[in-house]
Amino acid sequence: SLQVNPRNTALIINLAHYHAMLDERAEALDLVRRALEIAPRDAFVQFRAAVALNRVGDTEQALAWLEKARAAGFSITVIRDTPDLSNLWGFARFQNLLRGQ
């Protein structure tokens, strides 16, 4: 699919999450960077980037991209209900995000 459309950000960011799940940090980070370069204002890409970043342990960047995704209109409900973000519940910054602050 990437050979047909190398700018398919949905596929790129989903691949980033896949590599993050496999603990392939370098590959995941490269794909996150690539997707965000193509679509830096896309709320879905921002959200999925946050999930991948969180999976590889980059909490600060994950929270930053979650804030950007929310500001771009991404659903608080989806953010709240995403299991891959459950480790963030203890962070005040995450709680503020969920409250819309």
Side-chain angles (χ1 to χ4, degrees):
S1 291
L2 285 178
Q3 289 178 343
V4 172
N5 181 6
R7 296 179 60 83
N8 182 339
T9 55
L11 178 57
I12 294 167
I13 204 63
N14 286 333
L15 282 172
H17 185 244
Y18 171 79
H19 284 285
M21 289 174 35
L22 295 175
D23 292 324
E24 296 173 349
R25 182 179 173 82
E27 293 87 348
L29 294 176
D30 182 56
L31 289 162
V32 164
R33 178 197 49 76
R34 188 167 152 197
L36 289 170
E37 282 178 358
I38 296 168
R41 292 181 191 88
D42 183 301
F44 174 77
V45 171
Q46 293 169 340
F47 169 74
R48 295 294 287 171
V51 172
L53 290 163
N54 188 54
R55 292 282 310 204
V56 298
D58 195 341
T59 304
E60 287 302 313
Q61 282 297 308
L63 287 166
W65 284 107
L66 284 174
E67 290 165 348
K68 290 177 185 181
R70 182 62 199 126
F74 199 80
S75 167
I76 286 177
T77 303
V78 172
I79 294 170
R80 182 194 68 214
D81 295 343
T82 298
D84 284 332
L85 300 175
S86 63
N87 67 302
L88 300 178
W89 277 89
F91 289 83
R93 193 169 165 191
F94 188 72
Q95 291 299 316
N96 290 339
L97 173 76
L98 294 178
R99 286 192 296 270
Q101 300 175 340

